[in-house]
Amino acid sequence: YKSGKVTWFNIVCIFNIIGFSIVVPYQVWRSYRVIASDEDSAANNIGLIDILSSPTGINYFKIHLVRELCIENAMFWEDVTAWKKSFHNATVPTSSRREAFLQIFRIYIDRGATLEINIPFEAYERVRYAIMNTDETYVVPENVFDECLSHVVNLMATNSYPRFKETSLYKTYVHTVIGGVGKHSDSITNFDHSL
């Protein structure tokens, strides 16, 4: 500078300073966007069945369903899933399975039931027909609730679940699962519902 001339060395130093002050913050900002998009894509890969199958997930989802006044759907899914698992447990007697079948019908399917689920009339009639055949010798088929269960899961998948994905409950659940914190049901009060 003493001679008043700008040398190549000065130009390179100035461009390095300007470049460094622009490029480094941009790279840092971009790296945070990649982390956020990885979390978003992982969150988008969590489906309704994943939520229902997770003790923590179903508890968060139940809180949402209570707020939407449709908790009966998740409770029906839980009870029918447990009932279907009893078919694979040799220690559960047929009479207990039959009684649980009748109880599920009375609680969720019968007209005017305490927690009546929204199912088509035809599905109701098929289950009611199985009720008419329920005597001491009748073995209730494992698939008797399949149509009702399919309809309830479809209702949750198309109505409640998309709204659940917009809530802070879902965001907390995703953060918990993706962050690896508390993959067990101890991260939220366990709302155990059994027959």
Side-chain angles (χ1 to χ4, degrees):
Y1 288 165
K2 290 183 182 178
S3 63
K5 294 183 183 177
V6 178
T7 64
W8 281 107
F9 177 75
N10 297 111
I11 292 173
V12 169
C13 287
I14 290 172
F15 278 113
N16 281 337
I17 291 171
I18 292 172
F20 185 78
S21 64
I22 292 173
V23 171
V24 170
Y26 174 74
Q27 291 294 340
V28 169
W29 173 78
R30 199 165 146 240
S31 70
Y32 281 113
R33 275 191 58 213
V34 169
I35 291 169
S37 68
D38 285 347
E39 285 183 4
D40 290 343
S41 66
N44 289 334
N45 289 332
I46 298 175
L48 176 61
I49 298 302
D50 297 322
I51 295 284
L52 294 174
S53 300
S54 159
T56 304
I58 195 162
N59 287 332
Y60 278 106
F61 192 50
K62 280 181 178 179
I63 293 169
H64 172 72
L65 293 177
V66 165
R67 291 175 181 168
E68 286 204 335
L69 304 176
C70 57
I71 186 67
E72 68 277 359
N73 293 330
M75 293 171 67
F76 176 73
W77 183 87
E78 281 182 312
D79 287 346
V80 170
T81 302
W83 180 77
K84 288 175 78 94
K85 285 179 183 176
S86 74
F87 280 87
H88 306 287
N89 185 347
T91 62
V92 177
T94 306
S95 60
S96 296
R97 198 174 300 121
R98 188 180 314 106
E99 184 55 41
F101 163 73
L102 293 170
Q103 189 171 1
I104 290 171
F105 180 80
R106 284 190 299 266
I107 293 172
Y108 301 107
I109 297 174
D110 200 11
R111 298 299 175 211
T114 308
L115 296 170
E116 186 176 353
I117 56 173
N118 186 7
I119 56 172
F121 181 74
E122 295 79 18
Y124 164 76
E125 283 295 314
R126 285 186 194 87
V127 176
R128 194 172 70 86
Y129 179 76
I131 292 281
M132 291 177 175
N133 291 326
T134 304
D135 59 14
E136 295 302 317
T137 61
Y138 179 71
V139 177
V140 180
E142 181 179 356
N143 65 351
V144 71
F145 290 122
D146 285 357
E147 186 178 357
C148 299
L149 192 59
S150 174
H151 190 73
V152 165
V153 169
N154 186 44
L155 277 175
M156 288 190 291
T158 57
N159 294 323
S160 302
Y161 184 64
R163 288 190 295 272
F164 174 61
K165 287 177 74 170
E166 302 298 320
T167 66
S168 62
L169 284 170
Y170 180 77
K171 290 173 180 69
T172 303
Y173 171 71
V174 169
H175 177 71
T176 301
V177 170
I178 293 174
V181 181
K183 289 188 179 178
H184 306 290
S185 61
D186 57 2
S187 63
I188 188 170
T189 306
N190 189 5
F191 296 98
D192 185 25
H193 174 75
S194 58
L195 291 176

